[in-house]
């Protein structure tokens, strides 16, 4: 049965409703495989162009295989794009207030497609290609297997036109039962055209259409299809298989692997317990080892099930706390068990993710009662050791328990001398059939399938596949298609690619490259690729996205002309960095006075543009300087006694002290002034935070678990709770709590960036590295992704990896929203080269521009970054003179220097001071504003405070804190510089 396909177009600010005018639906069935093309025409009766968002849910098993939009009266098919590139293009063009069309898969099996524009007093066509697989049901009494195809037709209350056409391969039209509620079966015309049964429906002014239902006899012979794409001929075959099964020997010892991570709480435990109850009643007596896993594995617990009673085990599961991320290594079955049961969603997101769930040959069954699961991963884990993936959302407890008690025949071999790259969806026949696909190397091929029966005997079947030419197919199949094909609209090649991707997704990390290549070659929405439509060929050129065939010639002409310009731009970028670095060296070599200035300087006032976008303040209105006791500067903190004493020194003696402490290029010189960093403790004042702080070390985690259900989607809650646990000397539990951020809003680079910083702050660089790798994969277009990963490698002592990542920031050309990040990363690269040399592990620098390799040590250095894009946060540093260095006063009297203001990115902003005047330096941060919905109600800041930067005595302190809203100012901490 097909679930309800109910597309919904959301159009904001429409005076008159935008309506669906017509629907053209065409479906092809080969065996159990179904491909549907849905063409929707929307009419906008308003006097202005509008933007719409088409939302539609699909049932489990249905997927979108393509879409197209009409542009200037012609359908333009979407093209595949790297997922990260698609995100970059969409955000860049949206930032310029011009929308591309991007097909996204949202939570569950829901899809969202942005449609712009819906022309004033005009229409817009949208074409969606969907695929699915039908299940077979054996009728009681007759014993005959049938499949039911249901095509929902209730698209709108009223349609001007409805056209439906269904083609069923290798089936007699008279053998198909047709039901059309609200229309009448007589409205559906049927005819036989060669090997195809054809059904059609054409009506106007439709008001009562509900659905069209076709009950099909399950195929008793092999159904095949072929398609030639780019010189390769692909085949798809649906093979009827008689199920073969036998009882499984009752296990004496079972390993119960229980996913107790934070996401485990969303599983339907009632269904899972019902299965266990049914299963244990059938086994009667068995020993069970419970292995709960999260970010790490809990200690094993052993239980005895007697006469089917498992009360103590059930109580342990009912009391199980669900917390932390999911580490695959935490779900390894202990040795010596006959069977392993893994209850998990398969979303392994902590540390290594490729670790198998069992050791040796212990059969494993993976089970879950949750829709948001990584089914390919769970299926591979189970099937690779003779088990099976059981979806408890679609199986009853009786059906699932029967599967656990049963050994099924499984496919153990798939081979052919005239076909290659053979794939199948599963080694088990699903509902009496098995889908296989591959690439023909001859006009015909014999594919041999080897099944291992439950008794161990091998049973072999042969399937003959022949290439069919376009002349053998009905004209209707050769006709309408959103993508031109040699043999028709049925996407045999896509079917093969989908099966191949599903197999590779069992270990995505190891196969990202091939998944990306398949997604781009066959137009699939995968974890590595999206589908996008752009308006102008210049947009495809700008983002180097290969367009549809109709634009290919113009694209290649423009790309050829632009390559030389692009090469010049890249070359000029290094020259610009070298010029700016030379200016920085001049600043570093300059002597600055260390006396007290006669008067405070007047800060510059400047109009501000956030992120270089059109959304900006009035250009004639200057951004207000920080307020204080004088119009120009904020009131400085009370000077420390040491600072006050130093202020009494004469200018001459101070100048002599400065000259004495000067150091040469790349050298620490004389001993630096002693420094101490004092951080202002982050003390959130929320009720839960106060309650946790009041708890004893022994009770604090239990209080956290008590509060957790109210804050499962709050990044602040996990950050604050981890802080309290660290304060109370509970580092293992603090890491578990912190790891919850990896489970929130999967693949949210903002949250993951915060998690990586907090792991660095907790001195867990090796845990932070895979987190920052994920961030880089999600946003390779942002220089922060490379800088953060480089600094994590640096903390782990992986010097070459660190400098290579930092060089990416220095050498590549980035968006203008990220000013000075290249120089910030260059300083860190040179300091890392120096540290590596001192550690006896010098890095290779041959690939770096020699003009940029010079370490510039500093007494004080501060960098500030944050987690929300398009956000403006300012770094302020107040020195012992009471002078404030900030965006409007970028260089202080004594030589403190701050980088250019970042108003539309994530930072960093950087403060540098080569020779620090003795006294107290106060570090502050202010939230100025943003142009987006930030990750949480508060924006998280990540600040690194360093003394002796680039010298042997370098010391770093990392701190994370939050700003709740505009104009909020926090004091992060202070440096105390001695005489």
């Amino acid at each position: 049965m097909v679930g309800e396909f109910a597309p919904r177009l959301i159009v904001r600010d429409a005076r008159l409703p935008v309506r669906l005018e017509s629907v053209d639906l065409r479906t092809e069935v080969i065996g159990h495989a179904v491909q549907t093309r849905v063409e929707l025409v929307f009419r906008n009766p308003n006097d202005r162009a509008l933007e719409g968002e088409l939302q539609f849910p699909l049932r489990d098993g249905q997927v979108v295989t393509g879409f197209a939009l009409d542009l200037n009266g012609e359908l333009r098919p979407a093209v595949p794009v790297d997922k990260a590139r698609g995100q970059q293009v969409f955000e860049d063009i949206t930032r310029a207030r011009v929308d591309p069309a991007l097909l996204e898969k949202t939570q569950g099996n829901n899809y969202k497609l942005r449609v712009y524009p819906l022309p004033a007093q005009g229409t817009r066509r949208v074409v969606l290609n969907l695929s699915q697989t039908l299940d077979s049901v054996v009728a009681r009494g007759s014993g005959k297997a049938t499949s039911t195809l249901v095509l929902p037709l209730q698209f709108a209350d009223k349609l001007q036109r409805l056209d439906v056409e269904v083609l069923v391969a290798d089936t007699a039209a008279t053998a198909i039962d047709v039901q059309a509620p609200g229309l009448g079966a007589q409205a559906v015309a049927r005819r036989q055209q060669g090997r195809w049964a054809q059904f059609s429906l054409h009506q106007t002014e439709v008001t009562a259409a509900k659905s069209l239902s076709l009950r099909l006899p399950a195929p008793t012979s092999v159904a095949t299809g072929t398609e030639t794409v780019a010189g390769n001929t692909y085949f798809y075959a649906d093979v009827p298989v008689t199920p073969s099964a036998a009882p499984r020997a009752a296990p004496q010892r079972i390993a119960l692997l229980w996913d107790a991570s934070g996401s485990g709480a969303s599983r339907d435990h009632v269904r899972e317990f019902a299965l266990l109850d049914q299963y244990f009643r059938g086994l009667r007596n068995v020993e069970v080892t419970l292995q709960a896993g999260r970010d790490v594995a809990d200690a094993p617990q052993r239980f005895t099930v007697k006469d089917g009673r498992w009360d103590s085990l059930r109580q342990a599961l009912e009391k199980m706390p669900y917390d932390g991320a999911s580490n695959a290594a935490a779900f390894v079955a202990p040795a010596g068990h006959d069977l392993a049961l893994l209850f998990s969603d398969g979303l392994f997101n902590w540390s290594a993710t490729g670790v198998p769930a069992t050791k040796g040959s212990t059969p494993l069954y993976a089970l879950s009662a949750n829709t948001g699961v990584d089914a390919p991963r769970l299926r591979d884990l189970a099937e690779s050791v003779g088990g099976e993936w059981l979806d408890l959302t679609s199986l009853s407890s009786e059906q699932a328990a029967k599967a656990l008690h049963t050994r099924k025949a499984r496919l153990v071999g798939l081979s052919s001398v005239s076909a290659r790259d053979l794939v199948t969806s599963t080694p088990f026949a699903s509902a009496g059939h098995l889908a296989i696909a591959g690439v023909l190397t001859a006009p015909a091929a014999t594919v041999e399938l080897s099944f291992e029966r439950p008794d161990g005997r091998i049973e072999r079947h042969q399937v003959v596949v022949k290439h069919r030419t376009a002349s053998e197919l009905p004209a209707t199949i050769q006709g309408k298609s959103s993508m031109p094909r040699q043999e028709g609209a049925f996407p045999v090649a896509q079917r093969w690619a989908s099966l191949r991707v599903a197999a590779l997704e069992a270990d995505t990390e190891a196969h990202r490259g091939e998944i990306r290549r398949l997604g781009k070659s066959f137009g699939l929405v995968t974890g590595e690729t999206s589908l996008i439509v752009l308006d102008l060929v210049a947009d495809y050129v700008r983002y180097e996205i290969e367009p549809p065939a109709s634009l290919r010639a113009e694209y290649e002409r423009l790309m050829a002309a632009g390559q030389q310009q692009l090469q010049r731009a890249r070359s000029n970028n290094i020259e610009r960095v070298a010029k700016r670095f030379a200016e920085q060296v001049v600043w570093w070599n300059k002597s600055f006075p260390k006396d007290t200035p006669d008067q405070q300087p007047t800060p510059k006032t400047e109009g501000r543009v956030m992120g270089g976008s059109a959304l900006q303040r009035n250009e004639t209105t200057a951004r207000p300087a920080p307020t204080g006791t004088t119009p120009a500067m904020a009131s400085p903190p009370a000077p420390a006694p040491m600072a006050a004493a130093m202020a009494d020194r004469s200018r001459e003696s101070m100048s002599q002290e400065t000259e004495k402490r000067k150091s040469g290029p790349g050298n620490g010189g004389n001993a630096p002034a002693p420094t101490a960093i004092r951080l202002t403790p982050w003390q959130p004042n929320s009720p839960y935070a106060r309650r946790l702080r009041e708890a004893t070390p022994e009770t604090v985690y239990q209080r956290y678990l008590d509060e957790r259900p109210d804050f499962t989607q709050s990044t602040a809650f996990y950050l604050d709770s981890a802080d309290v646990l660290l304060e109370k000397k509970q580092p293992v539990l603090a890491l578990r709590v912190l790891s919850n951020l990896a489970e929130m809003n999967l693949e949210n680079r903002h949250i993951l960036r915060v998690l990586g910083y907090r792991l660095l702050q907790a001195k867990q660089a090796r845990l932070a590295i895979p987190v920052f790798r994920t961030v880089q994969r999600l946003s390779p277009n942002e220089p922060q992704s490379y800088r953060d990963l480089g600094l994590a490698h640096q903390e782990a002592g992986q010097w070459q990896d660190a400098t290579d990542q930092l060089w990416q920031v220095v050498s590549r050309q980035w968006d203008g929203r990220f000013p000075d990040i290249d120089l910030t990363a260059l300083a860190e690269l040179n300091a890392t080269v120096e540290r590596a040399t001192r550690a006896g592990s010098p890095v290779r620098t041959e690939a770096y521009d020699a003009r940029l390799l010079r370490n510039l040590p500093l007494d004080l250095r501060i960098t500030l970054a944050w987690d929300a894009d398009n956000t403006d946060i300012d770094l302020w540093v107040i020195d012992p003179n009471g002078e404030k260095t900030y965006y409007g006063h970028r260089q202080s009297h004594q030589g403190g220097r701050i980088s250019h203001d970042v108003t539309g990115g994530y930072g960093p902003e950087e403060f540098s001071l080569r020779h620090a005047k003795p006294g107290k330096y106060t570090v502050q941060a202010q939230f100025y504003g943003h142009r987006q919905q930030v990750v949480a109600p508060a924006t998280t800041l990540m600040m690194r405070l360093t003394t002796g930067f680039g010298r042997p005595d370098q010391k770093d302190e990392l701190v994370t804190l939050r700003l709740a809203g505009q104009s909020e100012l926090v004091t992060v901490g202070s440096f105390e510089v001695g005489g």
Side-chain angles (χ1 to χ4, degrees):
M1 297 286 289
V2 178
E4 191 72 15
F5 176 74
R8 185 166 65 114
L9 184 69
I10 299 175
V11 182
R12 298 172 178 85
D13 302 325
R15 186 177 60 86
L16 298 173
V18 175
R19 66 178 185 272
L20 179 61
E21 187 171 80
S22 66
V23 175
D24 188 333
L25 187 149
R26 295 175 183 266
T27 298
E28 299 168 37
V29 183
I30 297 180
H32 291 83
V34 181
Q35 181 72 18
T36 299
R37 176 188 184 277
V38 184
E39 180 177 308
L40 309 172
V41 177
F42 296 94
R43 178 169 292 279
N44 176 17
N46 297 277
D47 295 329
R48 63 188 181 96
L50 296 171
E51 176 184 343
E53 182 176 281
L54 185 65
Q55 298 178 351
F56 54 97
L58 297 179
R59 70 180 290 271
D60 185 33
Q62 285 182 315
V63 296
V64 177
T65 56
F67 81 96
L69 294 178
D70 70 320
L71 290 172
N72 302 318
E74 295 184 3
L75 279 177
R76 177 172 298 172
V79 294
V81 62
D82 288 356
K83 186 175 182 179
R85 173 59 65 88
Q87 169 199 289
Q88 174 198 357
V89 173
F90 185 82
E91 292 182 357
D92 282 357
I93 296 181
T94 301
R95 197 174 286 116
R97 295 185 173 266
V98 178
D99 287 345
L102 184 70
L103 178 64
E104 300 176 284
K105 185 178 180 182
T106 59
Q107 188 175 8
N109 207 22
N110 295 283
Y111 290 79
K112 180 172 64 177
L113 174 64
R114 294 282 291 274
V115 182
Y116 181 86
L118 298 172
Q121 299 291 336
T123 60
R124 194 72 187 268
R125 278 192 300 164
V126 179
V127 173
L128 297 168
N129 293 328
L130 315 174
S131 68
Q132 66 186 87
T133 302
L134 298 178
D135 291 330
S136 294
V137 177
V138 177
R140 292 182 179 179
S142 68
K144 294 182 178 180
T146 61
S147 299
T148 302
L149 171 67
V150 179
L151 300 174
L153 304 178
Q154 191 63 39
F155 293 98
D157 294 335
K158 182 178 180 180
L159 288 175
Q160 285 191 11
R161 185 174 181 83
L162 173 65
D163 296 290
V164 180
E165 190 145 17
V166 181
L167 296 163
V168 183
D170 302 316
T171 304
T174 55
I176 298 175
D177 179 34
V178 178
Q179 301 290 330
L183 295 170
Q186 69 281 359
V188 180
R190 74 172 73 194
R191 63 172 177 162
Q192 192 75 32
Q193 189 172 357
R195 63 186 284 252
W196 296 86
Q198 182 176 357
F199 301 84
S200 57
L201 170 68
H202 305 284
Q203 291 197 344
T204 58
E205 301 299 329
V206 182
T207 59
K210 295 296 182 183
S211 64
L212 176 63
S213 173
L214 284 76
R215 184 181 300 169
L216 318 171
T220 57
S221 60
V222 177
T224 62
T226 61
E227 180 185 17
T228 300
V229 174
N232 292 319
T233 299
Y234 298 86
F235 78 87
Y236 175 87
D238 194 84
V239 184
V241 178
T242 302
S244 176
R248 177 184 290 278
Q252 301 300 307
R253 297 188 65 193
I254 292 176
L256 181 57
L257 308 176
W258 196 265
D259 186 347
S261 65
S263 63
S266 63
R267 303 199 313 268
D268 188 342
H269 301 304
V270 173
R271 290 192 182 193
E272 295 176 345
F273 291 170
L275 164 64
L276 289 174
D277 189 62
Q278 185 85 17
Y279 182 52
F280 288 143
R281 278 193 279 119
L283 288 179
R284 301 290 294 167
N285 302 304
V286 66
E287 297 293 323
V288 179
T289 300
L290 173 62
Q291 178 74 71
R294 304 177 180 84
D295 56 317
V296 295
D298 288 358
Q301 302 179 62
R302 291 175 173 81
F303 299 88
T304 299
V305 176
K306 188 173 182 180
D307 296 328
R309 298 185 61 86
W310 58 294
D311 298 1
S312 57
L313 172 57
R314 179 168 187 149
Q315 290 174 7
L317 293 176
E318 289 175 339
K319 295 178 180 178
M320 182 75 66
Y322 293 90
D323 189 35
S326 303
N327 185 353
F331 303 103
V332 176
H337 290 77
D338 305 314
L339 191 69
L341 305 180
L342 171 63
F343 286 80
S344 173
D345 55 17
L347 300 176
F348 303 137
N349 47 34
W350 194 246
S351 190
T353 60
V355 179
T358 59
K359 292 180 179 179
S361 58
T362 304
L364 167 76
Y365 282 81
L367 312 96
S368 185
N370 189 2
T371 55
V373 300
D374 188 343
R377 169 67 60 82
L378 294 174
R379 181 177 291 110
D380 179 72
L381 287 175
E383 294 174 352
S384 63
V385 288
E388 192 175 354
W389 150 240
L390 301 177
D391 183 358
L392 300 184
T393 65
S394 60
L395 297 173
S396 67
S397 58
E398 291 80 6
Q399 291 171 322
K402 182 180 178 180
L404 292 176
H405 286 295
T406 304
R407 289 190 60 193
K408 299 179 181 177
R410 60 194 302 266
L411 184 70
V412 294
L414 191 62
S415 62
S416 175
V417 296
S418 300
R420 59 179 173 84
D421 298 331
L422 301 174
V423 291
T424 183
S425 56
T426 172
F428 301 102
S430 174
H433 66 97
L434 190 69
I436 62 173
V439 183
L440 294 176
T441 58
T446 298
V447 181
E448 184 171 277
L449 292 78
S450 300
F451 289 92
E452 182 184 56
R453 295 173 55 88
D455 58 8
R457 290 186 296 124
I458 301 298
E459 186 177 282
R460 291 180 172 84
H461 298 266
Q462 290 186 339
V463 176
V464 177
V465 180
K466 294 182 179 180
H467 174 48
R468 286 189 172 94
T469 64
S471 61
E472 299 179 65
L473 304 176
T476 49
I477 300 181
Q478 300 176 42
K480 288 195 174 183
S481 174
S482 63
M483 297 288 286
R485 300 180 185 276
Q486 177 180 332
E487 302 172 33
F490 195 88
V492 172
Q494 269 192 340
R495 284 272 173 175
W496 171 83
S498 296
L499 291 175
R500 178 63 180 155
V501 167
L504 296 172
E505 286 179 339
D507 189 358
T508 300
E509 196 60 41
H511 302 293
R512 289 193 187 279
E514 188 172 354
I515 293 172
R516 182 170 57 253
R517 287 190 294 273
L518 288 169
K520 294 179 71 173
S521 297
F522 294 91
L524 297 174
V525 180
T526 72
E528 302 299 313
T529 51
S530 299
L531 296 179
I532 196 167
V533 173
L534 300 176
D535 188 9
L536 303 175
V537 67
D539 293 330
Y540 291 96
V541 173
R542 176 186 174 192
Y543 295 105
E544 299 182 25
I545 298 174
E546 191 167 308
S550 61
L551 303 178
R552 197 75 50 79
E554 179 68 5
Y555 169 82
E556 291 175 354
R557 185 185 68 80
L558 293 175
M559 281 294 293
Q563 283 302 315
Q564 292 183 347
Q565 183 178 356
L566 181 63
Q567 194 64 36
R568 286 195 301 269
R570 289 172 177 167
S571 177
N572 291 339
N573 180 61
I574 287 291
E575 295 302 319
R576 287 192 296 269
V577 174
K579 180 179 179 181
R580 290 160 53 226
F581 181 62
E583 294 171 354
Q584 192 169 24
V585 172
V586 171
W587 161 82
W588 188 83
N589 281 321
K590 183 177 179 181
S591 297
F592 291 92
K594 301 302 173 183
D595 60 352
T596 302
D598 295 331
Q599 61 181 16
Q600 300 284 8
T602 301
K604 298 178 181 178
T605 57
E606 51 188 49
R608 301 261 292 191
V609 178
M610 291 187 62
S613 76
L615 181 63
Q616 63 182 50
R617 303 178 183 87
N618 187 326
E619 294 183 2
T620 62
T621 304
R623 178 175 176 179
T627 58
T629 56
T630 68
M633 303 305 295
S635 175
M642 185 177 297
M646 293 303 300
D648 293 334
R649 289 188 179 184
S650 67
R651 296 186 182 183
E652 291 79 11
S653 62
M654 181 60 69
S655 179
Q656 293 171 2
E657 177 71 7
T658 301
E659 291 300 319
K660 181 179 179 180
R661 294 182 53 242
K662 283 184 62 176
S663 57
N667 192 322
N670 297 327
T675 58
I677 303 175
R678 293 185 176 85
L679 300 178
T680 304
W682 174 247
Q683 292 284 331
N685 199 33
S686 59
Y688 72 75
R690 292 196 300 270
R691 186 172 180 233
L692 294 181
R693 287 198 298 269
E694 292 166 358
T696 65
E698 296 75 21
T699 62
V700 62
Y701 184 67
Q702 190 56 47
R703 288 196 182 183
Y704 154 79
L705 292 175
D706 182 57
E707 295 283 354
R708 188 184 188 278
D710 294 328
F711 301 98
T712 55
Q713 297 303 311
S714 169
T715 57
F717 173 74
Y718 296 118
L719 294 171
D720 295 342
S721 299
D723 277 348
V724 175
L725 285 164
L726 284 172
E727 291 171 8
K728 294 185 180 294
K729 311 301 181 184
Q730 303 280 349
V732 174
L733 291 175
L735 283 177
R736 172 177 296 176
V737 170
L738 200 57
S739 74
N740 282 284
L741 297 183
E743 298 244 316
M744 295 177 59
N745 197 353
L746 297 177
E747 295 197 342
N748 184 310
R749 67 188 191 277
H750 309 291
I751 294 176
L752 292 176
R753 185 173 280 122
V754 175
L755 171 60
Y757 270 93
R758 289 303 288 267
L759 289 171
L760 290 180
Q761 184 180 341
K763 310 300 182 186
Q764 297 290 333
R766 293 187 181 272
L767 286 175
I769 287 171
V771 173
F772 283 129
R773 282 197 186 118
T774 301
V775 174
Q776 187 181 89
R777 174 174 58 81
L778 294 172
S779 51
N781 55 296
E782 295 174 346
Q784 290 84 355
S785 303
Y786 299 86
R787 175 177 179 260
D788 292 340
L789 180 56
L791 294 180
H793 282 302
Q794 181 195 83
E795 290 295 318
Q798 299 168 357
W799 312 116
Q800 189 68 57
D801 290 334
T803 56
D804 287 345
Q805 293 293 331
L806 293 170
W807 178 249
Q808 292 291 318
V809 185
V810 175
S811 60
R812 291 174 57 177
Q813 191 170 7
W814 304 102
D815 190 278
R817 299 186 301 127
F818 310 118
D820 282 356
I821 192 171
D822 45 8
L823 293 183
T824 298
L826 180 57
E828 291 156 348
L829 183 152
N830 282 315
T832 304
V833 170
E834 191 80 10
R835 289 179 65 181
T837 302
R838 288 196 299 268
S841 302
V843 301
R844 299 183 305 275
T845 60
E846 298 85 1
Y848 311 155
D849 192 307
R851 295 172 297 173
L852 304 179
L853 296 178
R854 181 177 179 183
N855 187 33
L856 305 179
L858 304 169
D859 274 2
L860 301 180
R861 184 176 187 264
I862 305 161
T863 57
L864 171 67
W866 49 91
D867 68 335
D869 196 7
N870 294 327
T871 300
D872 184 0
I873 293 177
D874 295 325
L875 171 63
W876 298 355
V877 180
I878 306 170
D879 69 11
N881 294 327
E883 186 177 2
K884 182 172 293 185
T885 309
Y886 70 111
Y887 80 94
H889 178 53
R890 293 186 52 225
Q891 185 164 298
S892 68
H893 176 73
Q894 66 155 320
R897 178 176 177 171
I898 203 163
S899 60
H900 282 93
D901 194 18
V902 178
T903 63
Y906 307 94
E909 293 192 3
E910 176 191 11
F911 173 83
S912 305
L913 180 58
R914 182 183 181 188
H915 294 310
K917 175 180 178 177
K920 183 177 182 180
Y921 294 77
T922 302
V923 183
Q924 297 178 323
Q926 185 193 39
F927 189 124
Y928 187 69
H930 67 85
R931 293 191 302 106
Q932 71 159 36
Q933 185 69 31
V934 294
V935 175
T939 297
T940 302
L941 309 184
M942 291 77 73
M943 190 173 289
R944 182 185 295 262
L945 299 90
T946 304
T947 61
F949 177 79
R951 298 198 301 246
D953 63 325
Q954 177 173 328
K955 294 181 180 179
D956 296 292
E957 290 285 352
L958 277 69
V959 61
T960 58
L961 64 157
R962 292 191 303 280
L963 295 179
Q966 293 191 21
S967 300
E968 182 180 0
L969 176 68
V970 295
T971 297
V972 181
S974 64
F975 296 90
E976 190 75 38
V977 178

